[in-house]
Amino acid sequence: MYERALAIQERLVALRRDIHQHPELGFRETRTAQLVADTLRELGVRARTGVGKTGVVGYLGEGSPVVALRADMDALPLQEVNQVPYASQVPGLMHACGHDAHTAILLGVAMLLRDLQLPGQVRLLFQPCEESADKEGKSGAERMIEDGAMKGVDAVLSLHVGSSLPTGYFEVEAGTNSAAVDTFFATIVGQGCHGAYPQRGTDPIFITAQVINALNGIVSRRIDPFQPAVISIGSIHAGVAPNVIPQQVELNGTIRSLSEEVRAQLHSELARAFGVADALGATHALRIEKGVPSVVNDGQVVAVMRQVVADLFGADKLLPRVQGMGAEDFSLLAEAAPGAMFRLGTMPGTEERLGHSDTFDLDESALAYGAAILAETARRFLTGEAPLPQRPAA
Ligand code: NI
């Protein structure tokens, strides 16, 4: 399979560069979706567009079992600084998370599997909007599920490029693989007054300072030290004049956890910390918007992926997983069916080009590795060479 992937490597690079030059934000991936649909149809693959708003689903074969493979297509609001011939042509937008590579790799999977006449169905999910959400707080994975993309799926596979993992190396392990993310929005309301006469009001800035202390005490004092958790305040706004104590302070932040137990505890502790505002004479409003849960990789799907990597490239190419507190909406797909996401080494040379930075780039020779592993894992499941996971119906 890797040899066959090497044969299409040039096409994958061309596709990745085309997408890289034309980045689009979440739920606005119209050009990318068109390119995907056109490419699938050229390959003789049935394609359905407008799935989950701007998503595309490609269908190879029919009936069951169904193995789904997912690539995300959206870019980020960043100005690319790389001086490369394929740099972004859209000011202020950039594929800085490698979703251009994910999309090209999944088109490669279509090229590798279309002639194999596999039993059942390979379903290719080209997903919009992984990085953000629409007005109703729903990301691309959730919208695609609502449109039936996961109906009847027996296993779902995906990958993410790894900007600090050397090319030719892979990480995939069972269990929790990303953080659950929630967002909080808060307002602390005091009583504005003249800055020279603070005793006449209730200073919401002073009170917010006490609340921030309480917030920072949650992870250090209230959560089990062996349980990863993060609360970060990312935005804080109050006041207009140096000599006027404002009426209110607005602050927002992100909440990360790796278990549902800690996630619930963080929410209740956050509510308690904001109680400090009331104790000091202000009032507050706190809203927690639930984001996506942790990606939990299915043990059996992981075992097959690891075997594929070992057979194609050698078991020594599997490195231990490096855990982080990033989030990924693949978690919703992996809740809908047993699934796994692996990390594909794409570090260009010895230099890290971190995701979500304006210097991000990747080693394109890794595209063939990614396509080969996804295609071979799907092939083994559909032919019965590897047993499909059995999960009791929810
Ligand atoms: Ni990403």
PDB file of all heavy atoms in Angstrom, residues 70 72 74 76 96-99 102 130-131 160-161 327-328 356, ligand 1:
ATOM      1  N   ARG A  70     -12.038  10.401   8.127  1.00  0.00           N
ATOM      2  CA  ARG A  70     -12.371  11.832   8.226  1.00  0.00           C
ATOM      3  C   ARG A  70     -11.154  12.731   8.047  1.00  0.00           C
ATOM      4  O   ARG A  70     -10.082  12.477   8.600  1.00  0.00           O
ATOM      5  CB  ARG A  70     -13.031  12.074   9.591  1.00  0.00           C
ATOM      6  CG  ARG A  70     -13.339  13.507   9.894  1.00  0.00           C
ATOM      7  CD  ARG A  70     -12.134  14.202  10.533  1.00  0.00           C
ATOM      8  NE  ARG A  70     -12.546  15.220  11.475  1.00  0.00           N
ATOM      9  CZ  ARG A  70     -11.743  15.796  12.354  1.00  0.00           C
ATOM     10  NH1 ARG A  70     -10.482  15.451  12.418  1.00  0.00           N
ATOM     11  NH2 ARG A  70     -12.194  16.699  13.170  1.00  0.00           N
ATOM     12  N   ASP A  72     -10.453  17.102   8.108  1.00  0.00           N
ATOM     13  CA  ASP A  72     -11.039  18.437   8.282  1.00  0.00           C
ATOM     14  C   ASP A  72     -10.449  19.373   7.229  1.00  0.00           C
ATOM     15  O   ASP A  72      -9.354  19.151   6.721  1.00  0.00           O
ATOM     16  CB  ASP A  72     -10.861  18.961   9.708  1.00  0.00           C
ATOM     17  CG  ASP A  72      -9.500  18.628  10.300  1.00  0.00           C
ATOM     18  OD1 ASP A  72      -8.591  18.240   9.537  1.00  0.00           O
ATOM     19  OD2 ASP A  72      -9.341  18.764  11.526  1.00  0.00           O
ATOM     20  N   ASP A  74     -10.828  23.163   7.243  1.00  0.00           N
ATOM     21  CA  ASP A  74     -10.817  24.610   7.507  1.00  0.00           C
ATOM     22  C   ASP A  74      -9.436  25.156   7.861  1.00  0.00           C
ATOM     23  O   ASP A  74      -8.556  24.444   8.325  1.00  0.00           O
ATOM     24  CB  ASP A  74     -11.835  24.978   8.597  1.00  0.00           C
ATOM     25  CG  ASP A  74     -11.634  24.201   9.893  1.00  0.00           C
ATOM     26  OD1 ASP A  74     -11.204  23.026   9.837  1.00  0.00           O
ATOM     27  OD2 ASP A  74     -11.901  24.764  10.967  1.00  0.00           O
ATOM     28  N   LEU A  76      -7.172  28.890   9.384  1.00  0.00           N
ATOM     29  CA  LEU A  76      -7.179  29.741  10.581  1.00  0.00           C
ATOM     30  C   LEU A  76      -6.977  31.208  10.202  1.00  0.00           C
ATOM     31  O   LEU A  76      -6.355  31.517   9.185  1.00  0.00           O
ATOM     32  CB  LEU A  76      -6.046  29.304  11.515  1.00  0.00           C
ATOM     33  CG  LEU A  76      -6.294  28.000  12.283  1.00  0.00           C
ATOM     34  CD1 LEU A  76      -4.995  27.416  12.786  1.00  0.00           C
ATOM     35  CD2 LEU A  76      -7.264  28.235  13.434  1.00  0.00           C
ATOM     36  N   ALA A  96      -2.749  26.724   8.983  1.00  0.00           N
ATOM     37  CA  ALA A  96      -1.678  26.649   9.978  1.00  0.00           C
ATOM     38  C   ALA A  96      -1.859  25.453  10.906  1.00  0.00           C
ATOM     39  O   ALA A  96      -1.180  25.338  11.920  1.00  0.00           O
ATOM     40  CB  ALA A  96      -1.630  27.943  10.790  1.00  0.00           C
ATOM     41  N   CYS A  97      -2.791  24.554  10.562  1.00  0.00           N
ATOM     42  CA  CYS A  97      -2.974  23.355  11.396  1.00  0.00           C
ATOM     43  C   CYS A  97      -2.872  22.092  10.549  1.00  0.00           C
ATOM     44  O   CYS A  97      -3.119  20.996  11.025  1.00  0.00           O
ATOM     45  CB  CYS A  97      -4.314  23.420  12.131  1.00  0.00           C
ATOM     46  SG  CYS A  97      -4.413  22.300  13.550  1.00  0.00           S
ATOM     47  N   GLY A  98      -2.516  22.270   9.265  1.00  0.00           N
ATOM     48  CA  GLY A  98      -2.306  21.084   8.421  1.00  0.00           C
ATOM     49  C   GLY A  98      -3.566  20.458   7.863  1.00  0.00           C
ATOM     50  O   GLY A  98      -3.524  19.362   7.311  1.00  0.00           O
ATOM     51  N   HIS A  99      -4.699  21.154   7.955  1.00  0.00           N
ATOM     52  CA  HIS A  99      -5.929  20.560   7.437  1.00  0.00           C
ATOM     53  C   HIS A  99      -5.892  20.467   5.900  1.00  0.00           C
ATOM     54  O   HIS A  99      -6.615  19.656   5.316  1.00  0.00           O
ATOM     55  CB  HIS A  99      -7.159  21.354   7.909  1.00  0.00           C
ATOM     56  CG  HIS A  99      -7.305  21.369   9.416  1.00  0.00           C
ATOM     57  ND1 HIS A  99      -8.385  21.923  10.067  1.00  0.00           N
ATOM     58  CD2 HIS A  99      -6.500  20.890  10.400  1.00  0.00           C
ATOM     59  CE1 HIS A  99      -8.231  21.788  11.371  1.00  0.00           C
ATOM     60  NE2 HIS A  99      -7.093  21.176  11.600  1.00  0.00           N
ATOM     61  N   HIS A 102      -4.477  17.104   5.530  1.00  0.00           N
ATOM     62  CA  HIS A 102      -5.487  16.079   5.855  1.00  0.00           C
ATOM     63  C   HIS A 102      -6.425  15.847   4.662  1.00  0.00           C
ATOM     64  O   HIS A 102      -6.759  14.707   4.329  1.00  0.00           O
ATOM     65  CB  HIS A 102      -6.329  16.505   7.074  1.00  0.00           C
ATOM     66  CG  HIS A 102      -5.533  16.756   8.316  1.00  0.00           C
ATOM     67  ND1 HIS A 102      -6.055  17.388   9.433  1.00  0.00           N
ATOM     68  CD2 HIS A 102      -4.241  16.468   8.633  1.00  0.00           C
ATOM     69  CE1 HIS A 102      -5.123  17.466  10.370  1.00  0.00           C
ATOM     70  NE2 HIS A 102      -4.017  16.925   9.902  1.00  0.00           N
ATOM     71  N   GLU A 130     -13.514  22.524  11.888  1.00  0.00           N
ATOM     72  CA  GLU A 130     -13.039  21.831  13.091  1.00  0.00           C
ATOM     73  C   GLU A 130     -12.586  22.832  14.135  1.00  0.00           C
ATOM     74  O   GLU A 130     -12.690  22.583  15.330  1.00  0.00           O
ATOM     75  CB  GLU A 130     -11.877  20.887  12.730  1.00  0.00           C
ATOM     76  CG  GLU A 130     -11.478  19.921  13.851  1.00  0.00           C
ATOM     77  CD  GLU A 130     -10.644  20.557  14.940  1.00  0.00           C
ATOM     78  OE1 GLU A 130      -9.782  21.399  14.616  1.00  0.00           O
ATOM     79  OE2 GLU A 130     -10.854  20.240  16.128  1.00  0.00           O
ATOM     80  N   GLU A 131     -12.078  23.980  13.695  1.00  0.00           N
ATOM     81  CA  GLU A 131     -11.414  24.925  14.606  1.00  0.00           C
ATOM     82  C   GLU A 131     -12.375  25.796  15.400  1.00  0.00           C
ATOM     83  O   GLU A 131     -11.989  26.383  16.403  1.00  0.00           O
ATOM     84  CB  GLU A 131     -10.487  25.855  13.804  1.00  0.00           C
ATOM     85  CG  GLU A 131      -9.366  25.149  13.054  1.00  0.00           C
ATOM     86  CD  GLU A 131      -8.230  24.704  13.960  1.00  0.00           C
ATOM     87  OE1 GLU A 131      -8.318  24.930  15.180  1.00  0.00           O
ATOM     88  OE2 GLU A 131      -7.271  24.120  13.434  1.00  0.00           O
ATOM     89  N   HIS A 160      -3.933  13.335  12.487  1.00  0.00           N
ATOM     90  CA  HIS A 160      -3.579  14.747  12.547  1.00  0.00           C
ATOM     91  C   HIS A 160      -2.080  14.873  12.364  1.00  0.00           C
ATOM     92  O   HIS A 160      -1.328  14.060  12.889  1.00  0.00           O
ATOM     93  CB  HIS A 160      -4.007  15.391  13.870  1.00  0.00           C
ATOM     94  CG  HIS A 160      -4.162  16.881  13.748  1.00  0.00           C
ATOM     95  ND1 HIS A 160      -3.088  17.716  13.508  1.00  0.00           N
ATOM     96  CD2 HIS A 160      -5.248  17.672  13.770  1.00  0.00           C
ATOM     97  CE1 HIS A 160      -3.529  18.965  13.410  1.00  0.00           C
ATOM     98  NE2 HIS A 160      -4.837  18.972  13.562  1.00  0.00           N
ATOM     99  N   VAL A 161      -1.668  15.872  11.602  1.00  0.00           N
ATOM    100  CA  VAL A 161      -0.229  16.078  11.426  1.00  0.00           C
ATOM    101  C   VAL A 161       0.394  16.460  12.772  1.00  0.00           C
ATOM    102  O   VAL A 161      -0.241  17.091  13.607  1.00  0.00           O
ATOM    103  CB  VAL A 161       0.072  17.166  10.365  1.00  0.00           C
ATOM    104  CG1 VAL A 161      -0.508  16.785   9.009  1.00  0.00           C
ATOM    105  CG2 VAL A 161      -0.447  18.535  10.801  1.00  0.00           C
ATOM    106  N   ALA A 327      -7.781  20.367  21.966  1.00  0.00           N
ATOM    107  CA  ALA A 327      -9.068  19.693  21.762  1.00  0.00           C
ATOM    108  C   ALA A 327      -9.264  19.420  20.279  1.00  0.00           C
ATOM    109  O   ALA A 327      -8.583  20.001  19.430  1.00  0.00           O
ATOM    110  CB  ALA A 327     -10.206  20.548  22.285  1.00  0.00           C
ATOM    111  N   GLU A 328     -10.191  18.541  19.967  1.00  0.00           N
ATOM    112  CA  GLU A 328     -10.362  18.074  18.586  1.00  0.00           C
ATOM    113  C   GLU A 328     -11.790  17.539  18.480  1.00  0.00           C
ATOM    114  O   GLU A 328     -12.183  16.698  19.297  1.00  0.00           O
ATOM    115  CB  GLU A 328      -9.299  16.993  18.359  1.00  0.00           C
ATOM    116  CG  GLU A 328      -9.435  16.099  17.186  1.00  0.00           C
ATOM    117  CD  GLU A 328      -9.445  16.781  15.843  1.00  0.00           C
ATOM    118  OE1 GLU A 328      -8.397  17.308  15.397  1.00  0.00           O
ATOM    119  OE2 GLU A 328     -10.520  16.776  15.227  1.00  0.00           O
ATOM    120  N   HIS A 356      -0.863  26.330  14.477  1.00  0.00           N
ATOM    121  CA  HIS A 356      -1.494  27.597  14.881  1.00  0.00           C
ATOM    122  C   HIS A 356      -0.479  28.735  14.998  1.00  0.00           C
ATOM    123  O   HIS A 356      -0.720  29.706  15.711  1.00  0.00           O
ATOM    124  CB  HIS A 356      -2.305  27.438  16.182  1.00  0.00           C
ATOM    125  CG  HIS A 356      -3.507  26.561  16.039  1.00  0.00           C
ATOM    126  ND1 HIS A 356      -4.725  26.831  16.625  1.00  0.00           N
ATOM    127  CD2 HIS A 356      -3.689  25.412  15.360  1.00  0.00           C
ATOM    128  CE1 HIS A 356      -5.594  25.873  16.316  1.00  0.00           C
ATOM    129  NE2 HIS A 356      -4.975  24.995  15.554  1.00  0.00           N
TER     130      HIS A 356
HETATM  131 NI    NI B   1      -6.119  20.721  13.503  1.00  0.00          NI
END
